[in-house]
Amino acid sequence: MKIFKKLTAMVMAIGVLIGSSAFADTVKIAFIDPLSGPFATTGSNGLAEWKFAVEKLVNEKGGVLGGKKMEVVALDNKMDGKESLIQVQVAIDQGIRFIAQGNSSGIANAITDMVKKHNKRNPDKRVIFINYSAVDPALTNDKCNFWHFRFDANADIKMDAITDVIAQVPSIKKMYLIGQDYSFGKAVAAAAEKYLAEKTSINIVGNELHPIGKVKDFTPYARKILASGADAVITGNWGADMVNLGRSLSESGFKGPIYCYYCASNGITGTFGAAGKGMLHLVGEGLHNPATPELTAYHKAFKAKYPKWDLSQPRIINAAQMLAAAINKAGTADDMVAVASALEGMEFDSKLLGTKVLMRAKDHQAIQNVHVGIHTDDVEIDYDNSGYGIKIFKTVEMASMDSATSCKMKRP
Amino acid sequence: MDLIIINIIDGLIYGLLLFMLSSGLTLIFSMMGVLNLSHAAFYMLGAYFAYQISLVIGFWVGLIVAPVLVTILGALVERYGLRRVHQYGHVPELIFTFGLFFVIEESVQYIWGRNMVPYNSPESLNFIAINLAGGSIPAYKVFMLLVSVAIFVALYYVLARTRIGMIIQAALSYPKTVEALGHNVPLVFMGVFGVGTGLAGLAGVIAGPSLTTFPGMAFLLGSIVFVCVVVGGLGSLTGAFLASLLIGWLQTFAASYNIGAADILIAMGYEYPKDVYYHPWRDLWTLTLPQIGPILPYLLLILVLVFRPYGLFGRRDS
C-alpha cells in the first residue's frame, strides 16, 4: 500500500512537472487546504474564490510583470498538519514560491514554522506564506516572521470590533459567553472578557465551554442562558454547534443578539433562514451588503461560474490583488525578499470591498475595515443561494490600527 | 423551580426521541441476537429523505413517506443482505451492519453534500405552545413529544395485544416451533427489521428540523442509542424505554447546572487557588458538570455492566 502510494505520488509528480514546464511562464500560487474529507466544502469554496480572483482581477487585467499569468495550483492537505507540510514541500519542489493556506490555525502555525526554516536554509528558493483565513493572534505576535502575511482580521481584532459595536448598544447590560472547549473557544472567551471590561460596564453572567461536536441537544444550554437574564451572547462556535446553539436559543424564547465569528455560509445561512433574522450578528472583514456596483458585478460573474459556492472569504479578493501588486512593484517573482518587502507596509485601495487595506509592517497583519453584520433577507448578495445574507450593521474603520503586537520581526 | 419543570419537559422530549431509535434497535437485537450497528444511519436517511420530499411537496408528506421508504429499504437490506450473511453466524452479521453504516453515511454525503441542509419545521408549527416563566416550548417540540408517545403506545399495543405481536414475540424466542406451526418466520424477521429501521427513520424525520440535518448526525446520536439499549437490557422494550428517559434527563440536567469541581472542593475545605490558570490542578479546579455531561451516559453504561451485566431489564443470559 505504501509503495503504491509512493508510486502514484511519483507518477503524479512527474505528470505535474511535465505539465508545469509547458506553462513555465506563469506565476504559481500553491493553494493548500482540505479538498477531501469532512472539511472539503470550506476548502473547495476557498479554492473557487482564489481561482476566480486571480483570473478576473489579475490575469484579465494584464497579469503581472508585463503579461505573465498567475495560476492557482490546488494541493489537498486533508485538514491534516503533517499532510500540509508534505504539500508545502511538494509545492517547493515544483518551484512554486507562494503558499496560500487558511483553514485551521493549527496548520497555519505548522506551515509558518516550516517556511521560516526552509527560507533560512534555502536562500535561493525562498517562499512566501499567504495566510488568508487562519485567525490565531499568535501568528502575528509571538510566532510572527518576515515571510508570513495575514489578510484576515485576527480573532482579537474581530473581538475588538464586536465590543466596539456592543459598547454602542445601551440595552445590553448582561452578557453570556459560550464556546467550544478548545483553543479557539478559549481565546474568544478570554478576548471578550478583556475587551468588555476595558470598554463597557457590562456584567458577564456566564462564561462556559461546552464539549466540541458532542452536544446533541443545546436546549438545556439555552434554558440556562435565558435563566441568567443575559441580553446578548458571544460565541466562536462553528458548524452544527453554531446552528444548534442559535436554534435552541430562538426556540427557547431568547430575543437578544448573538455575536458570532462563523455563523454564515457553508449551509449555516440556509439552515437558519427566517429563524436567524435579526438574531445573528456576524463579525468579519469585507461583508457584502450594501454592495458596491463593482462587487455586485463581480459576484454575478462568480455565481455564473461557481453557482454552488459563495464569496464567503472576501479577503481573498484583496490577497490576490495585493500579491500581484507586490510582484509588480518588486519587478520579480523569484526574489522573495523583494516581493515580501514590497508587500510589507503596502497600502491598497480595495474598490470591490470598499475599504483600504494596510499590511502593517511591524507584524504583517492586514488592517482593514471590520464590520458587524446582521443576518437578513434584505440583501443583494446572499449565501447558500437561500435569499438570506449578511447586511452591514456597523463598521469599525481600520479596526485595531494601533493595537500592540509582541512581534519582533527579523528581516533578512 | 420553573427551570426544573422546563428541564423535565426538555429531557422527556429528548428521551422519547432516543426511545424511538432504541426501540427499533432492541427489537432487532431480540430477533437476530446481534446489534444493528447501522441503525443510526437509517435515522440519518429518514431525515435526508424527509428533507428531499419537503423541498418538493412539503413537510407533512415527508413525515409519512420518508419512514415508509426507510422501512422498505430496511426490509430489502434484511432480505438480500443480512439473511444471506446470517448463516455464517453473528460476527459476519455484525461486520455487515458495521460496513453498511459507512456505506450509507458516505452515500448521503455524496448525494446531499457535506454541508448541513436547510430542513426546517413546517410553518404551521412555528409558534410558541407553552410559556413557563421566562422559557418557552415551541409547538414543534410538543409535536415531537406527541408523535413519540403515539409510537410508544402503538408499539406496545401491537406487541402485547394483537395476534401479529404474539407471533413476533413467539418467533423471537422459539423460531423453530413457530415455523413448525406454519408461520413464515423469515417474513416476520424481515418485517421486524423493516419496522425497526423505519422507526429510526421516523425519529430522523422529526429530529432533523430540531437537531439539524447534517452528515455527522448519525455518528453523534448513534453511540448514545447503544448505551440506551445496553443499559435497559438488550432485547427489552420496557428497559429501552426507561433507559432512554433516564439518559434524556441525565444529559439535560447535566448541561443545565454549572456545578463545578471548585464548588465541591471548596465545600470539602480546600482553598481556591489564587491564579487558577497557572495552578497544577487547573483542569480539576475549572471542571464543570456540563463539560463532563456527555460522558455521564457512558459512565452509567460501565456501572450497569459491572453490577447488572444483563442491563436493568435484560433477561437474556445466553
Side-chain angles (χ1 to χ4, degrees):
Chain A
M1 195 60 203
K2 263 198 172 161
I3 291 173
F4 177 72
K5 265 191 183 166
K6 272 187 187 162
L7 270 176
T8 41
M10 270 174 70
V11 170
M12 279 166 72
I14 291 167
V16 167
L17 281 177
I18 293 168
S20 60
S21 62
F23 302 96
D25 53 343
T26 60
V27 175
K28 294 191 189 64
I29 304 168
F31 174 91
I32 302 178
D33 260 318
L35 300 170
S36 64
F39 301 99
T41 40
T42 331
S44 310
N45 198 139
L47 178 61
E49 288 178 78
W50 264 106
K51 281 192 162 164
F52 194 74
V54 163
E55 194 52 45
K56 268 272 177 227
L57 302 172
V58 180
N59 291 349
E60 282 187 17
K61 304 214 163 136
V64 289
L65 301 176
K68 272 195 186 183
K69 299 264 182 253
M70 273 172 95
E71 185 193 349
V72 178
V73 179
L75 298 168
D76 180 13
N77 71 0
K78 303 180 180 73
M79 201 71 166
D80 179 78
K82 229 182 191 171
E83 187 66 30
S84 304
L85 298 185
I86 293 171
Q87 296 304 338
V88 173
Q89 194 58 53
V90 168
I92 291 170
D93 292 347
Q94 286 182 27
I96 301 177
R97 316 301 286 275
F98 303 101
I99 310 285
Q101 183 269 346
N103 292 308
S104 167
S105 290
I107 291 174
N109 272 312
I111 291 181
T112 200
D113 283 345
M114 175 170 173
V115 165
K116 190 174 156 189
K117 273 185 209 146
H118 168 85
N119 286 355
K120 204 169 177 185
R121 290 172 193 160
N122 307 280
D124 52 332
K125 281 196 270 177
R126 284 173 174 146
V127 296
I128 287 181
F129 175 23
I130 296 152
N131 166 11
Y132 71 93
S133 267
V135 297
D136 182 354
L139 287 163
T140 44
N141 282 289
D142 293 350
K143 298 201 75 172
C144 77
N145 67 64
F146 184 66
W147 315 105
H148 166 269
F149 293 88
R150 167 159 39 209
F151 288 85
D152 197 359
N154 72 39
D156 283 350
I157 296 180
K158 286 184 178 180
M159 184 56 76
D160 197 6
I162 289 180
T163 44
D164 275 351
V165 170
I166 289 173
Q168 295 172 30
V169 184
S171 60
I172 299 175
K173 297 200 170 56
K174 291 178 181 172
M175 180 66 73
Y176 205 102
L177 314 175
I178 182 165
Q180 294 156 321
D181 197 355
Y182 79 119
S183 58
F184 175 64
K186 286 178 186 172
V188 169
E193 270 189 329
K194 183 181 147 217
Y195 286 120
L196 282 177
E198 279 175 15
K199 298 178 195 171
T200 68
S201 57
I202 289 173
N203 186 11
I204 296 174
V205 289
N207 181 359
E208 78 170 313
L209 301 166
H210 65 77
I212 174 171
K214 287 206 178 65
V215 178
K216 292 149 194 100
D217 186 5
F218 271 93
T219 316
Y221 288 96
R223 301 287 185 214
K224 197 161 52 176
I225 292 169
L226 235 76
S228 74
D231 301 309
V233 172
I234 296 179
T235 181
N237 279 15
W238 43 264
D241 280 346
M242 179 63 231
V243 173
N244 284 339
L245 174 69
R247 181 141 50 193
S248 298
L249 275 168
S250 85
E251 279 177 356
S252 306
F254 184 72
K255 297 275 182 285
I258 302 174
Y259 294 92
C260 40
Y261 280 65
Y262 297 110
C263 54
S265 193
N266 292 321
I268 294 181
T269 303
T271 308
F272 269 113
K277 207 172 165 179
M279 176 179 75
L280 301 171
H281 287 54
L282 174 75
V283 63
E285 37 62 62
L287 299 183
H288 310 313
N289 301 291
T292 56
E294 292 92 347
L295 185 64
T296 311
Y298 182 81
H299 176 256
K300 209 173 153 196
F302 177 79
K303 276 291 189 186
K305 194 161 186 197
Y306 303 101
K308 232 175 103 184
W309 305 121
D310 291 328
L311 288 178
S312 56
Q313 301 173 78
R315 56 244 172 216
I316 291 170
I317 291 171
N318 298 338
Q321 295 180 92
M322 286 173 77
L323 180 61
I327 292 172
N328 282 335
K329 192 177 162 198
T332 169
D334 298 313
D335 180 3
M336 288 305 115
V337 179
V339 177
S341 304
L343 199 49
E344 187 175 78
M346 179 185 277
E347 277 185 51
F348 176 73
D349 191 13
S350 181
K351 288 206 177 58
L352 281 173
L353 301 174
T355 177
K356 275 202 168 48
V357 183
L358 166 69
M359 183 50 74
R360 203 157 70 164
K362 62 179 175 182
D363 58 353
H364 293 187
Q365 165 68 54
I367 299 295
Q368 56 203 317
N369 292 356
V370 175
H371 318 276
V372 172
I374 304 183
H375 174 101
T376 172
D377 54 353
D378 176 25
V379 291
E380 290 164 71
I381 296 177
D382 69 346
Y383 285 135
D384 300 331
N385 301 324
S386 65
Y388 283 86
I390 304 290
K391 189 178 178 182
I392 292 173
F393 169 61
K394 285 237 161 78
T395 298
V396 180
E397 303 255 335
M398 301 307 263
S400 299
M401 177 89 172
D402 309 313
S403 57
T405 175
S406 58
C407 174
K408 291 188 190 77
M409 190 83 70
K410 279 194 196 117
R411 294 182 174 78
Chain B
M1 189 60 209
D2 288 320
L3 194 59
I4 292 181
I5 296 169
I6 288 183
N7 280 332
I8 289 176
I9 299 171
D10 286 339
L12 184 71
I13 294 168
Y14 180 52
L16 284 171
L17 179 75
L18 286 180
F19 169 70
M20 232 190 287
L21 276 160
S22 53
S23 59
L25 188 61
T26 207
L27 275 181
I28 292 168
F29 178 80
S30 334
M31 180 185 79
M32 307 193 308
V34 146
L35 278 172
N36 173 20
L37 293 176
S38 61
H39 201 68
F42 287 98
Y43 156 79
M44 176 158 84
L45 270 184
Y48 274 94
F49 282 170
Y51 160 67
Q52 195 61 52
I53 295 167
S54 75
L55 280 187
V56 186
I57 313 172
F59 176 85
W60 300 105
V61 179
L63 179 70
I64 311 289
V65 177
V68 173
L69 288 179
V70 177
T71 306
I72 294 171
L73 198 70
L76 289 176
V77 164
E78 200 280 339
R79 175 66 185 81
Y80 296 103
L82 267 179
R83 199 177 293 181
R84 287 167 191 235
V85 184
H86 186 68
Q87 53 193 313
Y88 303 109
H90 284 335
V91 175
E93 279 180 303
L94 200 66
I95 294 168
F96 175 84
T97 60
F98 182 68
L100 190 62
F101 177 89
F102 292 103
V103 170
I104 294 177
E105 198 181 39
E106 285 298 320
S107 310
V108 164
Q109 293 189 24
Y110 185 76
I111 298 169
W112 284 284
R114 289 186 167 88
N115 278 341
M116 59 194 80
V117 294
Y119 174 38
N120 289 318
S121 53
E123 285 292 321
S124 51
L125 287 179
N126 278 345
F127 62 93
I128 307 287
I130 304 169
N131 247 320
L132 271 174
S136 60
I137 294 170
Y140 188 76
K141 286 265 163 108
V142 178
F143 165 76
M144 279 172 76
L145 185 79
L146 293 179
V147 173
S148 318
V149 171
I151 289 294
F152 175 66
V153 172
L155 206 59
Y156 185 79
Y157 179 77
V158 169
L159 283 177
R161 295 276 183 273
T162 64
R163 207 178 147 72
I164 302 170
M166 281 164 65
I167 297 169
I168 291 172
Q169 288 200 352
L172 296 179
S173 338
Y174 306 104
K176 290 265 165 356
T177 320
V178 175
E179 199 152 32
L181 287 169
H183 296 290
N184 187 348
V185 172
L187 185 71
V188 171
F189 279 18
M190 190 174 97
V192 171
F193 195 88
V195 172
T197 50
L199 281 175
L202 179 63
V205 175
I206 65 166
S210 166
L211 301 181
T212 307
T213 308
F214 66 109
M217 64 189 293
F219 185 77
L220 190 59
L221 216 60
S223 51
I224 203 80
V225 174
F226 289 110
V227 177
C228 292
V229 171
V230 175
V231 167
L234 281 165
S236 161
L237 205 57
T238 327
F241 179 69
L242 290 175
S244 301
L245 290 187
L246 184 67
I247 286 167
W249 278 319
L250 191 66
Q251 296 227 293
T252 303
F253 276 96
S256 293
Y257 294 96
N258 285 359
I259 300 168
D263 302 320
I264 299 165
L265 288 171
I266 290 167
M268 282 166 68
Y270 292 94
E271 203 175 317
Y272 194 77
K274 262 199 196 112
D275 206 347
V276 75
Y277 288 102
Y278 297 100
H279 197 267
W281 293 91
R282 162 188 127 166
D283 287 335
L284 179 66
W285 275 100
T286 54
L287 194 68
T288 61
L289 189 57
Q291 283 176 299
I292 56 166
I295 59 158
L296 286 181
Y298 302 97
L299 193 68
L300 182 72
L301 173 81
I302 290 167
L303 288 178
V304 165
L305 284 177
V306 168
F307 294 105
R308 257 191 88 89
Y310 307 134
L312 297 175
F313 290 85
R315 284 165 302 179
R316 182 174 286 269
D317 44 22
S318 58

